[in-house]
Amino acid sequence: MALPKPTSFDKQKTVAENRRARFDYHIDEVFEAGIALTGTEVKSLRGGEGSIAESYAELRKGEVWLVNANVPEFSHGNRFNHEPKRPRKLLLHERQISKLHGAVERKGMTLVPLSVYFNGQGRAKVELALARGKNVADKRATVKDRDWKRQQQRILREHS
């Protein structure tokens, strides 16, 4: 029998975060994916550089690719430096890829990267979410809930 997967991932050092994703999308399921990087990309990410603000993931020929993620060139990289916005392959199990493929094709969902981080073993990982887009009314409700929770905390602090 397989061991259950942990609900939260072992994030040692978060490099890039897509903070807008939780506001723009309803997050259904979250996956941890490895990312295929070159040497200078790893060094650049270890330096804390990188952005996934306008990036997304897509399925091509049975593989998952991270598109439009920006990993700036390594400062001490020479002619072997990488291209900053190249598509990067995400490493997932076959079963996970087929699950994502089915959800994207049938249910019209989107693959959104939430964060890029290094785990406890020093490997670069991407937190990938299977998400459904929010409409304007949903976004307003999210803002309203967030403000109400903030006000609740304020009231509790004043009366304690």
Side-chain angles (χ1 to χ4, degrees):
M1 187 167 135
L3 294 173
K5 297 258 180 181
T7 55
S8 64
F9 305 117
D10 182 26
K11 293 184 182 183
Q12 296 292 323
K13 179 184 177 188
T14 303
V15 177
E17 211 170 352
N18 190 353
R19 298 178 56 143
R20 188 96 183 135
R22 295 194 190 276
F23 182 73
D24 289 337
Y25 298 96
H26 290 290
I27 308 296
D28 280 358
E29 198 169 348
V30 179
F31 297 91
E32 181 182 47
I35 183 168
L37 299 171
T38 62
T40 54
E41 287 173 328
V42 174
K43 289 179 181 183
S44 185
L45 284 176
R46 284 200 192 280
E49 300 176 18
S51 170
I52 57 168
E54 60 275 339
S55 66
Y56 61 96
E58 68 179 12
L59 290 152
R60 290 188 215 151
K61 301 178 186 173
E63 295 177 337
V64 183
W65 293 84
L66 182 64
V67 180
N68 213 15
N70 185 25
V71 179
E73 289 185 345
F74 183 54
S75 58
H76 301 327
N78 50 15
R79 63 183 179 168
F80 300 112
N81 231 336
H82 62 277
E83 185 183 330
K85 287 207 170 199
R86 74 174 183 89
R88 293 166 178 90
K89 186 176 177 180
L90 296 180
L91 309 171
L92 289 160
H93 292 286
E94 196 72 33
R95 184 179 290 158
Q96 290 174 326
I97 292 173
S98 63
K99 184 176 187 176
L100 293 174
H101 188 291
V104 168
E105 291 295 317
R106 285 191 291 278
K107 298 179 187 172
M109 300 183 93
T110 309
L111 297 174
V112 181
L114 298 177
S115 64
V116 175
Y117 59 93
F118 287 98
N119 67 1
Q121 299 169 335
R123 301 199 195 285
K125 300 285 185 178
V126 176
E127 192 175 18
L128 190 66
L130 193 56
R132 185 181 315 275
K134 286 184 182 178
N135 57 22
V136 178
D138 292 338
K139 291 179 186 178
R140 275 194 221 114
T142 302
V143 171
K144 188 176 175 183
D145 290 342
R146 187 175 56 216
D147 290 344
W148 170 238
K149 285 179 184 173
R150 210 177 280 147
Q151 188 146 0
Q152 279 180 325
Q153 292 298 323
R154 200 174 294 132
I155 290 169
L156 284 171
R157 244 181 310 182
E158 289 172 0
H159 291 294
S160 295

